[in-house]
Amino acid sequence: MIRINENYLKLKASYLFADISKRVSAYVEANPDKPIIRLGIGDVTEPLPDVCVKALHQGADELSKRESFKGYGPEQGYKFLREAIAAGDYASRDCAITADEIFVSDGAKCDSANIQEIFAEDGLKLAIPDPVYPVYIDTNVMAGRTGPNVDQRYQGVTYLDCTPENNYVPAIPTEPTDLIYLCFPNNPTGAVATREQLAAWVAYAKANQSIILFDAAYVAFIRDESIPRSIYEIPGADEVAIEFRSFSKTAGFTGTRCAYTVVPKKLQAFDSTGQAHSVHALWNRRQATKFNGVSYPVQLAAAAIYSAEGQAQVKEKTDFYLENAALIRTAMTDLGFSCVGGDNAPYIWINTGRDSWEFFDLLLNKAGVVCTPGAGFGTCGEGHVRISAFNSRANVEKALKRIAEALA
Amino acid sequence: MIRINENYLKLKASYLFADISKRVSAYVEANPDKPIIRLGIGDVTEPLPDVCVKALHQGADELSKRESFKGYGPEQGYKFLREAIAAGDYASRDCAITADEIFVSDGAKCDSANIQEIFAEDGLKLAIPDPVYPVYIDTNVMAGRTGPNVDQRYQGVTYLDCTPENNYVPAIPTEPTDLIYLCFPNNPTGAVATREQLAAWVAYAKANQSIILFDAAYVAFIRDESIPRSIYEIPGADEVAIEFRSFSKTAGFTGTRCAYTVVPKKLQAFDSTGQAHSVHALWNRRQATKFNGVSYPVQLAAAAIYSAEGQAQVKEKTDFYLENAALIRTAMTDLGFSCVGGDNAPYIWINTGRDSWEFFDLLLNKAGVVCTPGAGFGTCGEGHVRISAFNSRANVEKALKRIAEALA
């Protein structure tokens, strides 16, 4: 008899976006003449950079001729893209990451979801932020690394609380943990970590022989020169950290699909006899067995952003969203709320001082603006909402005017 | 201390393509003036159909404008593609598969690798063909469903021997098994299964409450009208089977990346108390959590093959490879070998009557032709080689001439 993976039964159904959608539909039905403005979902709205569009066309043309046709590419990504990434994102920041430590993929969601497969299933101690991108925790629940969910938290997990008290950058646990998820600039809070804070995490991981999974999907929004772009700017991080990056928010690839993961060759993990194994070799084996590379035109488009022209176009797009973010943060601060994010991230995390669904309903019903209730991202998200800067300037300005009137 | 998934240590390293590449390099170095012809790898060589190239351009153009820009799409694929598949591949064959039972992905390799995650890890009895596409077995080894490898076989697996005696279509096991991998038209043998043979598998799966994972990646090469295109042509198969399909070989998408998996809503699996659960719901949860959809221009390109023009172009490409296949099968038969495949598949499986690596070396060194030694696909592949029809007509003709001379 075929049996299911019963760990799936432990998953708490996430009704967050379904709930939002239900409440929005009810509002729209009751107010057909009041168009809503969506600042909830973290999806880009501006077109692809021109260099990427050109590269997609070039890729399509190459696939149309026998002489330039491309069949299966390397599972790890084409050399031209891996080398562009190594030079543009790492050598440029004095990080000694080589092209063959970079694994190109179709999304940071997939990579951050799949990476746990190469680690042990039982006995691993997980450290996971709260609030959090749900993929980190859900994929570990599916793999059987947690107990049941009790009072909104899975048993056996060390939650890293991100609160107003620690300015949404979690403290290092007092006990050892083995697999640590960190995300900076953070989704959902928009908080960033300083060099000193990251150095303390790297030191903790070294002391405990743990591995940090560092999600840097929003790195393109960092403008503060003192904030590290990569965890590998911290000396020794290549012995304890895997880094996830994406073209989704950097270059508007949410619908185009390309990302990459860095697994340094120095990184080791251990078997039950204490023998060390290369994590790079394990991930390579995983990817070669279960993945078949990224669409060739898409890889060409990703590589295009590393030209001088591409870099300027990417900066223009991210600057645009950051200008939206600054408007939102200023407006919400002027209304008396304390906020984090929006300066080096496209998200503004607002401490509403009340129930997060209540505040969501207030913005929806009084201002016709959709945000995301913080409680949907974890226990510590209660009392907060996330507002996203991904929209047109006109919509952001109109939304802020309506919010100010609604809260007056 | 971070520990590894020790199941990876059980994996037998696959040296097949590395070994081939080493021997080919040695030959090329020793014979710089004798260009080799590669009929080994199962990768397409002809350009994309025109309808697909046009659709890729259209997709790039849509992403270049704010009004038509596409961000995150549905994890399960766009409705336009799922509906085109349901109509073109299923309704057209009187299979009652609906659009929402179709999950679009970036590759049948990924899907056939990932599907095992939703089933139990221990106590499941696996039935896996030999010779075989290595992904089926390796992903189960990684998940801990097998014992160690002893004498080329993982302990605890029911191997389905495909031999000259059964004409390379395996017999149904005498004992119950839970998760059954079948692939028709077969890689590597090119064999196909009749309606009666598939009906017997469906009856076996029903009797044992097992699930069949049916890999139909090569379906576009079937020309015999009596051979089922889909396992859902067998009544009741929607209660026991998942089907994998790909645009890789159908439309030359090996470098473009698009595939799909059908999980019927009727399909059930059980928890340890015997309660039934929807496999569709489990796979949907898996995909929504770990996958983020396929590149929008690529989905447009895949949908393009379902127009009348697209169907004609796909037929033209697959006809071309099948004409190569017929030349190869005829030539090898004329040389006295018994062969299977090549009539409804792009692979010809040749019973060489000697060690498969010895025959590989003979073709390489005497004819400058690269094939794939059958032993690389499993114990039952010994004594055989696979020759692939994916090449230009001129190269196939030249290769066959050289082989005839070498074996004369």
Coordinates of all heavy atoms in Angstrom, one line a residue, chain A residues 253-295:
Chain A
F253 N 13.1 39.8 -12.3 CA 13.0 38.5 -12.9 C 12.0 37.6 -12.2 O 12.1 36.3 -12.4 CB 14.4 37.7 -12.8 CG 15.3 38.0 -14.0 CD1 15.5 39.3 -14.5 CD2 16.0 36.9 -14.6 CE1 16.3 39.5 -15.6 CE2 16.9 37.2 -15.6 CZ 17.0 38.4 -16.1
T254 N 11.0 38.1 -11.5 CA 10.1 37.2 -10.8 C 9.3 36.3 -11.7 O 9.1 35.2 -11.4 CB 9.1 38.0 -9.9 OG1 8.5 39.0 -10.7 CG2 9.8 38.8 -8.8
G255 N 9.1 36.8 -12.9 CA 8.4 36.0 -13.9 C 9.3 35.4 -14.9 O 8.9 34.6 -15.8
T256 N 10.6 35.7 -14.9 CA 11.6 35.3 -15.9 C 12.4 34.1 -15.3 O 12.8 33.2 -16.0 CB 12.5 36.5 -16.2 OG1 11.7 37.6 -16.7 CG2 13.5 36.1 -17.3
R257 N 12.6 34.1 -14.0 CA 13.2 33.0 -13.2 C 14.7 32.8 -13.4 O 15.1 32.1 -14.3 CB 12.5 31.7 -13.5 CG 10.9 31.7 -13.5 CD 10.3 32.1 -12.2 NE 10.8 31.5 -11.1 CZ 11.1 32.2 -9.9 NH1 10.8 33.4 -9.8 NH2 11.6 31.5 -8.9
C258 N 15.5 33.4 -12.5 CA 16.9 33.0 -12.4 C 17.4 33.5 -11.1 O 17.0 34.5 -10.5 CB 17.7 33.6 -13.5 SG 19.3 32.9 -13.8
A259 N 18.3 32.6 -10.5 CA 18.9 32.9 -9.2 C 20.2 32.1 -9.1 O 20.6 31.5 -10.1 CB 17.9 32.4 -8.1
Y260 N 20.9 32.3 -8.0 CA 22.0 31.4 -7.8 C 22.3 31.2 -6.3 O 21.9 32.0 -5.5 CB 23.3 32.0 -8.6 CG 23.8 33.3 -8.1 CD1 24.8 33.3 -7.0 CD2 23.5 34.5 -8.6 CE1 25.3 34.5 -6.6 CE2 24.0 35.7 -8.2 CZ 24.9 35.7 -7.2 OH 25.4 36.9 -6.7
T261 N 23.1 30.2 -6.1 CA 23.5 29.8 -4.7 C 25.0 29.6 -4.7 O 25.6 29.0 -5.6 CB 22.8 28.5 -4.3 OG1 21.4 28.9 -4.1 CG2 23.3 28.0 -3.0
V262 N 25.6 30.2 -3.7 CA 27.1 30.0 -3.5 C 27.4 29.0 -2.4 O 26.9 29.2 -1.3 CB 27.7 31.4 -3.1 CG1 29.3 31.2 -3.0 CG2 27.4 32.5 -4.1
V263 N 28.1 28.0 -2.8 CA 28.5 26.9 -1.9 C 30.1 26.9 -1.9 O 30.6 26.3 -2.9 CB 27.9 25.6 -2.2 CG1 28.3 24.6 -1.0 CG2 26.4 25.7 -2.3
P264 N 30.8 27.5 -1.0 CA 32.2 27.6 -1.1 C 32.8 26.2 -0.9 O 32.3 25.3 -0.2 CB 32.6 28.5 0.1 CG 31.4 29.2 0.5 CD 30.2 28.3 0.1
K265 N 33.9 26.0 -1.6 CA 34.6 24.7 -1.5 C 35.2 24.4 -0.1 O 35.4 23.2 0.2 CB 35.7 24.6 -2.6 CG 35.1 24.6 -4.0 CD 36.1 24.1 -5.0 CE 35.3 23.8 -6.3 NZ 36.2 23.6 -7.4
K266 N 35.4 25.4 0.6 CA 35.9 25.2 2.0 C 34.9 24.7 3.0 O 35.2 24.2 4.1 CB 36.5 26.5 2.6 CG 37.8 26.9 2.0 CD 38.3 28.1 2.8 CE 39.6 28.7 2.2 NZ 39.9 30.0 2.8
L267 N 33.6 24.8 2.6 CA 32.5 24.4 3.5 C 32.5 22.9 3.8 O 32.4 22.2 2.8 CB 31.2 25.0 3.0 CG 30.0 25.0 3.9 CD1 30.3 26.0 5.0 CD2 28.8 25.4 3.1
Q268 N 32.4 22.6 5.1 CA 32.3 21.1 5.4 C 31.2 20.8 6.3 O 30.7 21.7 7.1 CB 33.6 20.7 6.1 CG 34.9 20.8 5.2 CD 36.1 20.2 5.9 OE1 36.3 20.5 7.1 NE2 36.9 19.5 5.2
A269 N 30.7 19.6 6.2 CA 29.7 19.1 7.2 C 30.2 17.7 7.5 O 31.0 17.1 6.8 CB 28.3 19.1 6.6
F270 N 29.6 17.1 8.5 CA 30.2 15.9 9.1 C 29.2 14.7 9.1 O 28.0 14.8 9.1 CB 30.6 16.2 10.5 CG 31.5 17.4 10.6 CD1 31.0 18.7 10.7 CD2 32.9 17.2 10.4 CE1 31.8 19.8 10.6 CE2 33.7 18.3 10.4 CZ 33.2 19.6 10.5
D271 N 29.8 13.5 9.0 CA 28.9 12.3 9.1 C 28.9 11.9 10.6 O 29.6 12.5 11.5 CB 29.4 11.2 8.2 CG 30.7 10.6 8.5 OD1 31.2 10.7 9.7 OD2 31.4 10.1 7.6
S272 N 28.2 10.8 10.9 CA 28.0 10.5 12.3 C 29.3 10.0 13.0 O 29.3 9.9 14.2 CB 26.8 9.5 12.5 OG 27.0 8.5 11.6
T273 N 30.3 9.7 12.2 CA 31.6 9.3 12.8 C 32.5 10.5 13.0 O 33.6 10.4 13.5 CB 32.3 8.2 11.9 OG1 32.8 8.9 10.8 CG2 31.4 7.1 11.5
G274 N 32.0 11.7 12.6 CA 32.8 12.9 12.8 C 33.6 13.2 11.6 O 34.3 14.2 11.5
Q275 N 33.6 12.3 10.5 CA 34.4 12.6 9.3 C 33.8 13.8 8.5 O 32.6 13.9 8.4 CB 34.4 11.3 8.5 CG 35.5 11.3 7.4 CD 35.4 10.2 6.4 OE1 34.9 9.1 6.7 NE2 35.7 10.6 5.1
A276 N 34.7 14.6 8.0 CA 34.2 15.8 7.3 C 34.0 15.5 5.8 O 34.6 14.6 5.2 CB 35.3 16.9 7.4
H277 N 32.9 16.1 5.2 CA 32.6 16.0 3.8 C 32.4 17.3 3.2 O 32.0 18.3 3.9 CB 31.3 15.2 3.7 CG 31.4 13.8 4.2 ND1 31.7 12.7 3.4 CD2 31.3 13.2 5.4 CE1 31.8 11.6 4.1 NE2 31.5 11.9 5.3
S278 N 32.7 17.4 1.9 CA 32.5 18.7 1.2 C 31.1 18.9 0.9 O 30.4 18.1 0.3 CB 33.3 18.6 -0.2 OG 32.8 19.6 -1.1
V279 N 30.6 20.1 1.4 CA 29.2 20.4 1.1 C 29.0 20.8 -0.3 O 27.9 20.5 -0.9 CB 28.8 21.6 2.1 CG1 27.3 22.1 1.8 CG2 28.9 21.2 3.5
H280 N 30.0 21.4 -0.9 CA 30.0 21.7 -2.4 C 29.8 20.4 -3.2 O 28.9 20.4 -4.1 CB 31.3 22.3 -2.8 CG 31.5 22.8 -4.2 ND1 31.8 21.9 -5.2 CD2 31.3 24.0 -4.8 CE1 31.8 22.6 -6.3 NE2 31.5 23.8 -6.1
A281 N 30.5 19.3 -2.9 CA 30.3 18.1 -3.6 C 28.9 17.5 -3.4 O 28.3 17.0 -4.3 CB 31.3 17.0 -3.1
L282 N 28.3 17.6 -2.2 CA 27.0 17.1 -1.9 C 26.0 17.9 -2.7 O 25.1 17.4 -3.3 CB 26.6 17.3 -0.4 CG 27.3 16.3 0.5 CD1 27.1 16.7 2.0 CD2 26.7 14.9 0.3
W283 N 26.1 19.3 -2.7 CA 25.1 20.1 -3.5 C 25.2 19.9 -5.0 O 24.2 19.8 -5.7 CB 25.3 21.6 -3.1 CG 24.3 22.5 -3.8 CD1 24.5 23.5 -4.7 CD2 22.8 22.5 -3.6 NE1 23.3 24.1 -5.1 CE2 22.3 23.5 -4.4 CE3 22.0 21.7 -2.8 CZ2 20.9 23.7 -4.4 CZ3 20.6 21.9 -2.8 CH2 20.1 22.9 -3.7
N284 N 26.5 19.7 -5.4 CA 26.7 19.4 -6.8 C 26.0 18.1 -7.2 O 25.3 18.0 -8.3 CB 28.2 19.3 -7.1 CG 28.4 19.3 -8.6 OD1 28.0 20.2 -9.4 ND2 29.1 18.3 -9.1
R285 N 26.1 17.1 -6.4 CA 25.5 15.8 -6.6 C 24.0 16.0 -6.6 O 23.3 15.4 -7.5 CB 25.9 14.8 -5.6 CG 25.3 13.4 -5.8 CD 26.0 12.7 -6.9 NE 25.1 11.6 -7.5 CZ 25.5 10.4 -7.8 NH1 26.7 10.0 -7.6 NH2 24.7 9.5 -8.3
R286 N 23.5 16.7 -5.7 CA 22.0 17.0 -5.6 C 21.5 17.6 -6.9 O 20.5 17.2 -7.5 CB 21.7 17.8 -4.4 CG 20.2 17.9 -4.0 CD 19.5 19.1 -4.7 NE 18.1 19.0 -4.6 CZ 17.2 19.4 -5.5 NH1 17.6 20.0 -6.6 NH2 15.9 19.3 -5.3
Q287 N 22.2 18.7 -7.3 CA 21.8 19.5 -8.5 C 21.9 18.6 -9.8 O 21.0 18.6 -10.6 CB 22.5 20.8 -8.6 CG 22.2 21.8 -7.5 CD 20.7 22.3 -7.5 OE1 19.9 21.6 -7.0 NE2 20.5 23.4 -8.2
A288 N 23.0 17.9 -9.9 CA 23.2 17.1 -11.1 C 22.2 16.0 -11.2 O 21.8 15.6 -12.3 CB 24.6 16.5 -11.1
T289 N 21.7 15.5 -10.1 CA 20.7 14.4 -10.1 C 19.3 14.9 -10.2 O 18.4 14.2 -10.8 CB 20.8 13.6 -8.8 OG1 22.2 13.1 -8.6 CG2 19.9 12.4 -8.7
K290 N 18.9 16.1 -9.7 CA 17.5 16.5 -9.6 C 17.2 17.7 -10.4 O 16.1 18.2 -10.3 CB 17.2 16.7 -8.1 CG 17.3 15.5 -7.3 CD 16.6 15.8 -5.9 CE 16.6 14.5 -5.1 NZ 15.9 14.8 -3.8
F291 N 18.2 18.3 -11.1 CA 17.9 19.6 -11.7 C 18.6 19.5 -13.1 O 19.6 18.8 -13.3 CB 18.5 20.7 -10.9 CG 18.3 22.1 -11.4 CD1 17.0 22.6 -11.6 CD2 19.3 22.9 -11.7 CE1 16.8 23.9 -12.1 CE2 19.1 24.2 -12.1 CZ 17.9 24.7 -12.3
N292 N 18.1 20.3 -14.1 CA 18.7 20.2 -15.4 C 19.1 21.6 -16.0 O 19.1 21.7 -17.2 CB 17.8 19.5 -16.3 CG 18.5 18.4 -17.1 OD1 19.7 18.4 -17.2 ND2 17.8 17.4 -17.6
G293 N 19.4 22.5 -15.1 CA 19.8 23.8 -15.6 C 18.7 24.8 -15.9 O 17.5 24.4 -15.9
V294 N 19.1 26.0 -16.2 CA 18.2 27.1 -16.4 C 18.1 27.4 -17.9 O 19.1 27.3 -18.6 CB 18.6 28.4 -15.7 CG1 17.8 29.6 -16.0 CG2 18.6 28.2 -14.2
S295 N 16.9 27.8 -18.4 CA 16.7 28.1 -19.8 C 17.8 29.0 -20.3 O 18.2 30.0 -19.7 CB 15.3 28.9 -19.9 OG 15.0 29.1 -21.2

